[in-house]
Amino acid sequence: MNPLKICPKAPPGAQPIVDQITGNVAWGVLAVFGLAALVSIGAIAAGKLLAMPHASKWGVVGLCVVLMAAIIYMIWPGMLDSVVGDGCV
């Protein structure tokens, strides 16, 4: 280990609070994904029932966007961790 490396450290007692905030954000993002999927499915159903093809089309697009965002949400932390590493500079 290089003695000139500077590694950031959280203040004492801050880690439980950071973990709580991180957990709340993760559940909030999951809820947004679910809500967006429900709205997209509703748009597809409404478009089919009311003969509005544009609503159905945008509902399918919405589902595709939610799926891609969920995949990126699962991949991004691993990519970021591999680039940043342990945070020491």
Side-chain angles (χ1 to χ4, degrees):
M1 180 169 166
N2 187 350
L4 298 177
K5 279 192 165 184
I6 300 171
C7 298
K9 292 184 181 178
Q15 194 59 46
I17 297 169
V18 171
D19 291 342
Q20 181 68 35
I21 292 171
T22 303
N24 289 341
V25 169
W27 279 106
V29 169
L30 184 63
V32 168
F33 284 154
L35 183 64
L38 285 175
V39 168
S40 295
I41 292 170
I44 293 169
K48 295 291 182 186
L49 290 173
L50 301 174
M52 296 174 12
H54 293 296
S56 295
K57 179 180 79 170
W58 285 110
V60 171
V61 169
L63 278 177
C64 292
V65 168
V66 168
L67 178 66
M68 291 303 297
I71 291 170
I72 291 170
Y73 180 70
M74 295 303 296
I75 293 173
W76 185 256
M79 289 174 50
L80 188 62
D81 188 46
S82 68
V83 170
V84 175
D86 59 2
C88 295
V89 291

